[in-house]
Amino acid sequence: GVVWNTCWIPVGDGLFIYYAVNVTDRKRTEKDLTKLSMHDPLTHFYRRNYFMKLLEEQIEISNKRKQEFSLIMLGIDNFKAINEKYGYDATDMVLVQTAAEITKSEVRYNDCVTRWGGREFMIMLPGVTQDRALSLAESIRKRINRISIEHVGGITASIGVTEYSMDESSEDLLERVDFAMHK
């Protein structure tokens, strides 16, 4: 469990100075910072910046293998009004409950779920066509509609779905799924 930084310094013919520094705490801090930079602390989903890296990788894989993938974008409705009326604790609870319902849905291990923005989530589904993604999105929407939060009541979400088109840029793909969600 201890991590050492070691070094041998030659000081003469067959003579070396050896020193070791315990860097366990530093390595633990580095690991914690890496995790924090990749994951949203409230929902434990990936952060947007890490998702973008994964999206670019998925686009490259899809273009090479001619493999489809789809995106689902989900936005919690009336989020600003909930925040103004009930405060940050209520909106945090809405986010946590929504994340829980997404996790309980049919999202697979290799799917990538991200906290996209303040009220938005993105799900990348490798190897999934738009029809299958629509079915999953509807299942998630129904789960979210069953959420009831103390003082807030029920919540709803707007959801957009799109499938990647070969050689499409990530910007165009994200613009299409965002448009679908707002529509």
Side-chain angles (χ1 to χ4, degrees):
V2 178
V3 181
W4 296 93
N5 228 358
T6 61
C7 186
W8 291 89
I9 302 171
V11 291
D13 190 28
L15 187 60
F16 294 87
I17 295 175
Y18 173 77
Y19 74 91
V21 178
N22 183 339
V23 293
T24 306
D25 289 340
R26 188 181 90 207
K27 289 295 182 182
R28 190 174 299 124
T29 300
E30 286 175 8
K31 185 178 177 182
D32 292 345
L33 288 172
T34 299
K35 183 178 180 187
L36 186 60
S37 73
M38 292 171 47
H39 294 89
D40 173 60
L42 188 63
T43 63
H44 306 288
F45 289 160
Y46 288 125
R47 288 183 184 261
R48 183 178 184 152
N49 60 334
Y50 187 66
F51 173 84
M52 288 303 297
K53 177 182 175 276
L54 296 176
L55 178 62
E56 294 298 338
E57 290 172 4
Q58 183 61 52
I59 287 172
E60 191 174 312
I61 289 167
S62 292
N63 285 333
K64 282 181 184 175
R65 297 182 185 164
K66 306 293 186 229
Q67 178 189 40
E68 67 271 337
F69 77 92
S70 295
L71 291 181
I72 297 173
M73 186 175 198
L74 180 152
I76 300 168
D77 298 330
N78 304 311
F79 193 73
K80 185 177 178 185
I82 294 168
N83 184 40
E84 289 172 354
K85 187 170 182 178
Y86 301 106
Y88 289 112
D89 288 342
T91 51
D92 283 355
M93 189 59 112
V94 168
L95 289 167
V96 167
Q97 289 293 319
T98 301
E101 292 306 321
I102 291 171
T103 303
K104 290 177 194 172
S105 69
E106 299 161 27
V107 175
R108 305 166 303 173
Y109 177 77
N110 65 326
D111 297 335
C112 177
V113 185
T114 301
R115 171 107 181 262
W116 186 250
R119 68 176 193 99
E120 297 164 337
F121 297 90
M122 187 82 72
I123 306 168
M124 182 169 48
L125 307 161
V128 173
T129 63
Q130 184 167 340
D131 288 341
R132 173 68 185 104
L134 281 166
S135 175
L136 175 60
E138 180 61 15
S139 171
I140 292 170
R141 187 193 65 75
K142 287 177 180 176
R143 286 180 158 286
I144 291 170
N145 283 352
R146 289 193 295 263
I147 296 173
S148 181
I149 299 188
E150 189 177 348
H151 305 296
V152 175
I155 62 170
T156 60
S158 298
I159 301 178
V161 177
T162 194
E163 185 175 335
Y164 174 70
S165 297
M166 293 300 157
D167 297 318
E168 179 178 28
S169 71
S170 59
E171 292 83 10
D172 290 343
L173 177 64
L174 292 169
E175 189 176 303
R176 282 193 303 112
V177 76
D178 182 65
F179 179 79
M181 183 191 72
H182 285 94
K183 186 177 176 186

